[in-house]
Amino acid sequence: MKNIIYFGMMMTIGALTSCNKYLDIQPVGTVIPTSESDFRGLMTSGYTSFPAHKSYLSLRTDELLLDESSTDAARTKDIYLWNDQNPDPATTAYPYLAFYKSIFYSNQIISTIDEKLTSNANVDQIKGEAYLMRAYAHFELLNCYSEVYSASNVALRGVPLSTKIDLEQRFVPATIGDSYAQVLSDMEKGTALLTVEDQAKGVNYRFSKRGAYAMASRIHLYRGEWKVAMEAAEKALAINNKLVDLNVAGSKLPNDFESEEMIMALEKVSIPEVRSSSFISPSLLSSYSDGDLRKGRYFQKRGADYVSLKGGENRFNVSFRNADLYLTIAECNLRLGNTAEALKYLSALKKNRFTADAYTQQVKAYANLSKEQLLDAVLLERKRELALEGLRWYDLKRTTRPAITHASFGRTVTLQQNDPRYVIRYPQEAINNNPDLLK
């Protein structure tokens, strides 16, 4: 490995400047990490650098309406209109480089920690987190910039893989098959190294065994590997299967980092730029029936419109939580033909989200639904439960890829069913720095 440059223990994105030809990354400083605290500092920087891309993903879905009167609308309108090819210069560039900043910190840890430190529980935990961060960053890149995994898609263009520190290497996208092979390999290595079963509140932005199982569940769900996805979700729930009961006065929002169902509170899913330039769409609001407590807890009326209560500050950062796992198990069971088991998990979630009378009505309604109708019900429940947590775009992309129409500033644009724009175009800045992205 050549051109390995050790860098200082900066805790912010500012630890990296824009110099490298291909990924536009260059480390700064000459302090060599030698202690556990040094390597923990590197890992913290990897977490800090992780992008807020899921906030922007919500703009691409049927969850939001653009507020044209907002001063931030100029920066988000082309994202809202899926204009990735020739956006207005004022448009916020879609996150790309930040993923590789987090990966860079992970690579630094993976490549040097064994040389500097003797294996122990803390050292193994840090190294395991680094592998999992590298896996998760590549996975999120795939979700944004490549096609959905399938047996027929494995030879299509995936994403550039960064697994070593070599500032002269070329970053040509690997195939989808090879990209996922790297993600799965890193996930397996990282999970095996972890020594923390569940992170304490306040540091639960870090990976734990519970978080690793939750990540595995999502990866396999998106790959259509129903049995494996379900088994991983069950492992996570074996550690903690609690759900927030919205019937209880004073209960926390489920995506609050202190909620009893939070697994990993890493990603900013509702940043000010998006919150200030959007309202909740009527189609999302109308999906909540009478007696569904989430409508009043997740949203708040502001003037004639509604805004989200699920974001706006770091306490609502979220990557994984138990409700997502309940819905994953319900979906996977239905796809495998296990209707009764699917209803058990779906009903358990709804019992904590509906009034008692409304819950009883919901359970009765399920008895008359076919397997296909129940699957639709689970996917609709994902829309309601996980609203504005950045997962709706991925769910649309991996399932029906429906047509969506957005109107803004005198323009009406339709994302057609199966539209190629369900695969986001690499940002022009990234293409300019690395023309290999288009190969």
Side-chain angles (χ1 to χ4, degrees):
M1 184 180 300
K2 51 189 176 181
N3 292 331
I4 295 179
I5 304 177
Y6 294 104
F7 51 98
M9 301 298 105
M10 300 294 287
M11 295 298 178
T12 65
I13 295 174
L16 301 172
T17 57
S18 300
C19 299
N20 181 256
K21 179 179 179 182
Y22 295 109
L23 281 183
D24 203 22
I25 297 174
Q26 182 164 340
V28 176
T30 57
V31 177
I32 299 174
T34 57
S35 66
E36 285 183 17
S37 62
D38 289 342
F39 282 100
R40 172 51 69 189
L42 283 178
M43 196 63 240
T44 300
S45 293
Y47 289 125
T48 303
S49 300
F50 205 79
H53 62 298
K54 287 181 176 170
S55 283
Y56 300 107
L57 285 177
S58 294
L59 284 167
R60 302 177 73 92
T61 71
D62 52 1
E63 296 177 303
L64 295 173
L65 294 179
L66 195 67
D67 177 9
E68 296 180 12
S69 66
S70 168
T71 56
D72 287 321
R75 293 192 287 274
T76 58
K77 64 180 177 65
D78 277 336
I79 298 174
Y80 182 72
L81 297 174
W82 311 288
N83 181 17
D84 305 318
Q85 186 72 35
N86 296 297
D88 186 289
T91 302
T92 298
Y94 216 80
Y96 173 74
L97 176 61
F99 290 110
Y100 288 99
K101 289 181 178 179
S102 292
I103 291 170
F104 196 100
Y105 286 115
S106 295
N107 285 340
Q108 180 69 18
I109 293 168
I110 292 167
S111 66
T112 60
I113 195 168
D114 290 341
E115 301 171 8
K116 303 298 179 182
L117 299 175
T118 302
S119 174
N120 62 39
N122 291 335
V123 170
D124 289 350
Q125 174 68 26
I126 294 169
K127 187 177 178 182
E129 290 177 42
Y131 273 113
L132 288 163
M133 172 59 78
R134 191 167 77 181
Y136 191 53
H138 282 125
F139 173 58
E140 285 297 309
L141 283 161
L142 284 161
N143 287 332
C144 291
Y145 299 113
S146 75
E147 265 293 353
V148 174
Y149 177 89
S150 71
S152 61
N153 285 344
V154 291
L156 297 182
R157 185 178 67 189
V159 296
L161 299 175
S162 178
T163 59
K164 59 183 179 180
I165 298 178
D166 181 351
L167 299 183
E168 293 183 1
Q169 68 178 306
R170 294 179 63 182
F171 288 88
V172 179
T175 64
I176 289 176
D178 288 344
S179 297
Y180 267 105
Q182 184 63 53
V183 168
L184 294 173
S185 174
D186 281 347
M187 185 173 66
E188 182 180 359
K189 291 176 182 176
T191 303
L193 285 163
L194 294 181
T195 57
V196 175
E197 188 171 62
D198 195 12
Q199 294 286 0
K201 307 304 181 188
V203 293
N204 54 347
Y205 60 88
R206 300 173 181 173
F207 279 104
S208 62
K209 287 185 179 179
R210 187 174 164 222
Y213 297 145
M215 183 174 81
S217 177
R218 185 175 295 168
I219 290 173
H220 290 295
L221 176 70
Y222 288 7
R223 284 166 58 94
E225 296 162 342
W226 316 123
K227 188 174 185 295
V228 185
M230 186 167 58
E231 290 171 347
E234 289 169 343
K235 286 182 180 179
L237 291 177
I239 298 172
N240 175 350
N241 66 356
K242 294 178 181 177
L243 292 168
V244 172
D245 188 351
L246 295 182
N247 288 283
V248 176
S251 57
K252 295 185 181 296
L253 285 178
N255 68 313
D256 188 303
F257 83 96
E258 290 186 309
S259 85
E260 54 194 350
E261 72 176 68
M262 179 60 71
I263 300 173
M264 188 169 173
L266 171 63
E267 294 169 88
K268 294 179 175 66
V269 295
S270 187
I271 61 173
E273 183 180 39
V274 173
R275 289 174 61 82
S276 67
S277 63
S278 61
F279 299 118
I280 307 303
S281 72
S283 67
L284 176 55
L285 290 170
S286 64
S287 70
Y288 297 90
S289 59
D290 292 341
D292 191 332
L293 298 166
R294 291 170 295 192
K295 185 174 181 179
R297 291 297 307 275
Y298 291 1
F299 313 113
Q300 181 181 62
K301 196 163 188 179
R302 188 174 72 189
D305 297 291
Y306 281 82
V307 295
S308 173
L309 296 175
K310 296 181 75 177
E313 54 181 298
N314 286 340
R315 76 174 304 110
F316 299 117
N317 292 358
V318 56
S319 293
F320 309 105
R321 59 185 180 90
N322 282 352
D324 184 8
L325 300 182
Y326 275 72
L327 290 166
T328 292
I329 294 174
E331 178 181 343
C332 291
N333 269 304
L334 281 169
R335 294 189 185 276
L336 293 170
N338 305 321
T339 302
E341 195 69 10
L343 283 173
K344 183 176 78 173
Y345 281 89
L346 182 58
S347 298
L349 174 62
K350 287 206 166 190
K351 187 174 183 179
N352 289 277
R353 300 298 190 254
F354 284 77
T355 63
D357 289 343
Y359 168 69
T360 300
Q361 294 172 7
Q362 291 279 317
V363 172
K364 288 180 180 178
Y366 289 148
N368 299 318
L369 298 181
S370 66
K371 174 189 167 184
E372 291 72 21
Q373 289 171 323
L374 279 172
L375 180 58
D376 288 341
V378 169
L379 295 176
L380 180 58
E381 200 59 32
R382 287 183 66 86
K383 175 181 178 178
R384 297 173 181 136
E385 175 62 31
L386 305 173
L388 302 175
E389 294 182 25
L391 300 179
R392 177 65 175 164
W393 179 255
Y394 299 159
D395 280 344
L396 294 173
K397 180 180 175 182
R398 72 180 176 89
T399 56
T400 60
R401 299 193 177 195
I404 306 172
T405 297
H406 285 172
S408 182
F409 292 96
R411 296 180 62 195
T412 298
V413 178
T414 297
L415 186 74
Q416 303 293 340
Q417 185 164 18
N418 296 318
D419 199 298
R421 288 172 292 180
Y422 270 106
V423 177
I424 301 172
R425 184 179 186 271
Y426 284 114
Q428 189 59 48
E429 181 183 15
I431 295 171
N432 292 342
N433 286 329
N434 181 13
D436 286 339
L437 284 177
L438 299 181
K439 292 186 176 180

